Amino acid sequence: MLTGASRITRRDFTRSVLAGGLLACAGCAGYQFGNQTLYPSDIHTVFVPVFESDSFRRDLGERLTEAVVKEIELKTPYKVVGSPNADSILSGRIVSDKKGVLAETINGDVRELELSMTVKVNWVNRKGNLVGRGQPGAGPGEFATVTATANDVPEFGRSIATTQQVLIERLARQIVALMESPW
């Protein structure tokens, strides 16, 4: 049997648990959770003007812009707005759009195609300074150059438009991944 001096009351036990919980929370005060920790915290809104295109293929800039906006809304804590007065501006230009034959049949029919696209991207804040880490080796005032490829096998019934869309979605994922803060 415990004596009065060594007996722990329910109130003392509750106080101890609460004090331990407060100490644990105080030690974790600097930690953040979720995807907000992956991106610069001083940016809340992003304006994405239609990507310019040096390609002769129609609507590639518009399609890439749409894919980038969807990816930003899906994967980042940022809100895409329609005003250049946003906290930052993510702009880009399609500088290369190529289609090449990878394999032919004996009769010269195309068996497999490779589509590739290169995009130069800039992400600046309101003051015109680059935001985020950009890409190692990017030129002065340049955030990143992104290249992606996609293959098409016409015999399987896939169209060039479908392969272009796969390529555009790959580019959008790469562009938004570059917006993450360095670890």
Side-chain angles (χ1 to χ4, degrees):
M1 187 135 181
L2 295 173
T3 64
S6 63
R7 191 181 319 161
I8 298 176
T9 64
R10 183 180 293 241
R11 187 171 44 175
D12 292 338
F13 178 74
T14 305
R15 285 181 184 166
S16 299
V17 170
L18 286 174
L22 287 174
L23 284 174
C25 289
C28 299
Y31 293 107
Q32 297 176 344
F33 298 98
N35 68 351
Q36 293 86 357
T37 61
L38 298 175
Y39 300 94
S41 60
D42 58 333
I43 303 292
H44 302 287
T45 58
V46 180
F47 173 61
V48 184
V50 175
F51 279 46
E52 298 175 17
S53 177
D54 293 342
S55 173
F56 292 110
R57 299 183 207 281
R58 296 180 61 192
D59 301 327
L60 286 182
E62 290 84 355
R63 290 169 62 193
L64 180 57
T65 304
E66 181 181 355
V68 167
V69 166
K70 285 180 182 178
E71 197 72 14
I72 289 171
E73 291 280 344
L74 180 68
K75 300 247 173 97
T76 73
Y78 305 135
K79 177 71 180 148
V80 177
V81 296
S83 167
N85 295 326
D87 296 334
S88 64
I89 298 173
L90 180 71
S91 59
R93 172 184 289 278
I94 299 171
V95 294
S96 173
D97 171 41
K98 297 179 183 173
K99 178 171 72 170
V101 176
L102 292 179
E104 294 180 347
T105 65
I106 248 174
N107 299 326
D109 295 330
V110 175
R111 187 146 238 173
E112 186 175 9
L113 292 168
E114 180 181 68
L115 298 166
S116 67
M117 199 179 302
T118 302
V119 180
K120 289 196 178 279
V121 181
N122 275 316
W123 188 28
V124 296
N125 61 16
R126 284 186 190 176
K127 297 176 184 175
N129 300 325
L130 289 177
V131 179
R133 69 171 184 218
Q135 181 185 47
E142 182 180 292
F143 182 68
T145 300
V146 181
T147 301
T149 61
N151 292 358
D152 180 35
V153 181
E155 292 176 351
F156 293 154
R158 194 171 183 181
S159 71
I160 292 294
T162 304
T163 305
Q164 279 179 340
Q165 191 59 35
V166 168
L167 178 60
I168 285 168
E169 290 169 2
R170 285 180 184 168
L171 283 167
R173 281 193 297 272
Q174 288 180 29
I175 290 167
V176 172
L178 284 170
M179 296 171 78
E180 291 181 6
S181 295
W183 283 42

